[in-house]
Amino acid sequence: MEKFFLIISICTIIMFAPSLSKLFKAPVVVIEICLGLIAGYFGLIYGDETLKLIAKFGFVYLMFLAGLEINLKLVKIIKATLAWNVILYFVFLYTISALICWVFNLGITYFVALPIFSLGMIMMLIKEYGKDEPWLNLALSIGVVGEVISILALTLFSGWVDYGFSISFIVSILTIIGVVLLTILGLRVFYIAFWWYPELKKFLIPDSENNRFDQDIRFSISSLLILVAIMYALKIDVVLGAFTAGLFFKIFFHQKHELIEKIESFGFGFFVPIFFIYTGSTVKLDMLNYDILQHALFIMFAIIIIRLLSSYLAFYRYLKFKQTLLFALSDSMPLTFLVAIAMLTYNYGLITQSEYFSFIIASIIDGLVLMLLIRKLHKYFSIEKKEKS
């Protein structure tokens, strides 16, 4: 009977979240997290293993969509004109993070966690504001670099926690470097193969009139799961496999608009909401106290301040004041990876239970507040721009 209420609760939230989003004029992801939090508090949603698996797949699917949304033209522009700015941005990010950790006497967990990136919330912003906003396009492109660095940091940190400075730790470093190099090489091989044999593309994904058996969806989802399985077998964060699958389709099948729409509808309409609903349900409201909330706010403000300072130092000339502000805030929502680091370090006894709850609360409040703030600022800046013109 418990599973009955679990399924009914999740499906009800998925169905009515968009309507409530319009009613309260709040981003749909904010509504999903809040409803998940309320349902979790009343015991309607709980830590069921099947739900955890589906929620994890929802996050993986979100990273797959992130690969699909990459603006390759903008990546080339950044590579040509903003390469040094990007490098400076990450140098500032980790330097300011190290400074905060030193001043407040924080451990290595905070040094890894505070500058970490996650594309999940940026993808929700793209869903809401589209792909034509310069600050959001840059946030996605920088977010990709940040996500790769975050995966490297998370993998290295996990390896250090598991093995210490041993041979196994060195092997884990070499494995992820090898995977990144093989990914780049693999994409290059496919580029050459499709250039020499263009009919191979139609064999893998036929044109609409010849696609009677939904070969496009079969191939895309199977590719995603195969790459995720490979990363899982190599003990590397599966996000890298999901993102690579999305990037593969963006590079070689970007003209298949119907396929892209199918993939996006499938994700944003079902699997991604389950991830955000489950994330909200993991917060234990009855265990919160003033100290946990105060520390959560400290973590949240540290994450935002680090990015505000780094963004204005690195990108002010390119984006100017308003767009830099929106860019910095959009990059300040590392919801999923912050949770992952908190879980990892708590399991190994590097942080206390109170700190663990503070990280979880910080990641959720950060996402909720900034999604609402970005909406307000974007609306205000748009009205101001119209009045001037």
Side-chain angles (χ1 to χ4, degrees):
M1 200 66 178
E2 284 182 345
K3 284 190 184 289
F4 171 77
F5 287 112
L6 176 67
I7 294 167
I8 294 296
S9 300
I10 291 170
C11 292
T12 302
I13 293 172
I14 290 172
M15 280 194 293
F16 291 107
S19 303
L20 291 172
S21 172
K22 290 176 185 176
L23 181 65
F24 292 105
K25 296 181 179 178
V28 69
V29 63
V30 171
I31 299 295
E32 287 165 354
I33 291 173
C34 287
L35 291 176
L37 190 149
I38 294 165
Y41 178 73
F42 287 106
L44 296 171
I45 298 176
Y46 54 92
D48 179 76
E49 290 303 317
T50 305
L51 175 60
K52 286 180 184 177
L53 184 63
I54 297 171
K56 178 68 175 176
F57 181 71
F59 173 58
V60 167
Y61 203 96
L62 191 60
M63 294 304 102
F64 177 50
L65 293 170
L68 280 172
E69 294 294 344
I70 289 294
N71 187 329
L72 296 174
K73 288 181 181 177
L74 183 64
V75 171
K76 288 179 182 177
I77 292 169
I78 290 171
K79 189 178 177 181
T81 60
L82 292 172
W84 280 110
N85 301 71
V86 174
I87 293 168
L88 278 174
Y89 178 66
F90 286 104
V91 169
F92 288 135
L93 206 62
Y94 280 90
T95 303
I96 298 168
S97 176
L99 189 62
I100 287 174
C101 291
W102 178 69
V103 169
F104 292 98
N105 196 27
L106 303 172
I108 191 170
T109 299
Y110 291 84
F111 175 68
V112 177
L114 294 180
I116 207 145
F117 274 78
S118 181
L119 290 173
M121 299 302 273
I122 295 176
M123 287 305 301
M124 301 314 293
L125 288 172
I126 286 173
K127 181 68 177 172
E128 185 163 347
Y129 300 112
K131 306 171 189 176
D132 299 324
E133 297 286 348
W135 59 275
L136 196 47
N137 265 317
L138 182 64
L140 179 61
S141 301
I142 300 299
V144 170
V145 179
E147 181 115 340
V148 172
I149 291 172
S150 297
I151 291 168
L152 289 169
L154 194 57
T155 305
L156 293 175
F157 191 56
S158 177
W160 174 73
V161 168
D162 280 334
Y163 310 117
F165 291 106
S166 63
I167 297 296
S168 299
F169 177 62
I170 295 168
V171 169
S172 69
I173 295 172
L174 293 175
T175 301
I176 195 166
I177 292 171
V179 166
V180 171
L181 292 174
L182 282 172
T183 299
I184 296 167
L185 180 63
L187 290 171
R188 187 64 185 169
V189 167
F190 274 107
Y191 180 83
I192 294 167
F194 288 145
W195 189 80
W196 279 103
Y197 305 102
E199 65 276 8
L200 187 59
K201 277 189 180 183
K202 289 187 178 181
F203 174 75
L204 294 173
I205 298 182
D207 293 329
S208 300
E209 58 272 14
N210 298 320
N211 191 24
R212 290 187 300 144
F213 302 108
D214 292 312
Q215 175 67 15
D216 51 356
I217 285 292
R218 291 174 186 236
F219 181 68
S220 56
I221 302 300
S222 297
S223 301
L224 165 64
L225 294 176
I226 288 168
L227 283 170
V228 164
I230 291 169
M231 298 300 160
Y232 183 77
L234 293 172
K235 296 183 180 178
I236 295 172
D237 199 303
V238 294
V239 166
L240 189 60
F243 179 78
T244 302
L247 190 61
F248 173 82
F249 282 93
K250 180 66 177 181
I251 293 171
F252 301 116
F253 299 100
H254 59 88
Q255 72 282 7
K256 301 280 185 182
H257 300 295
E258 191 179 331
L259 169 61
I260 305 298
E261 286 174 10
K262 281 183 188 177
I263 291 171
E264 287 183 349
S265 299
F266 194 52
F268 286 123
F270 187 71
F271 284 112
V272 174
I274 290 177
F275 164 69
F276 286 113
I277 292 165
Y278 175 73
T279 300
S281 73
T282 59
V283 178
K284 307 299 179 189
L285 291 175
D286 53 334
M287 297 188 72
L288 294 184
N289 57 45
Y290 176 75
D291 290 335
I292 289 173
L293 192 58
Q294 186 182 46
H295 193 60
L297 291 174
F298 168 78
I299 293 168
M300 185 185 85
F301 283 117
I303 288 168
I304 295 169
I305 289 165
I306 285 168
R307 282 159 177 78
L308 281 170
L309 291 173
S310 302
S311 299
Y312 277 104
L313 288 169
F315 295 114
Y316 178 75
R317 279 189 174 184
Y318 176 70
L319 290 174
K320 304 307 177 191
F321 179 80
K322 295 172 186 175
Q323 301 248 352
T324 305
L325 178 59
L326 290 170
F327 164 78
L329 294 177
S330 66
D331 263 353
S332 300
M333 298 181 283
L335 179 72
T336 48
F337 275 14
L338 201 61
V339 171
I341 284 181
M343 207 171 287
L344 175 71
T345 51
Y346 175 62
N347 288 339
Y348 281 95
L350 296 175
I351 58 173
T352 64
Q353 188 183 52
S354 295
E355 285 179 299
Y356 169 71
F357 281 129
S358 292
F359 271 108
I360 302 298
I361 295 296
S363 67
I364 292 174
I365 294 177
D366 180 61
L368 296 177
V369 171
L370 291 186
M371 286 293 282
L372 291 169
L373 181 59
I374 288 168
R375 171 174 276 200
K376 295 291 183 186
L377 287 172
H378 184 266
K379 189 177 180 181
Y380 174 73
F381 292 155
S382 298
I383 292 170
E384 198 178 60
K385 190 177 179 181
K386 284 177 184 176
E387 286 175 353
K388 285 183 179 180
S389 59

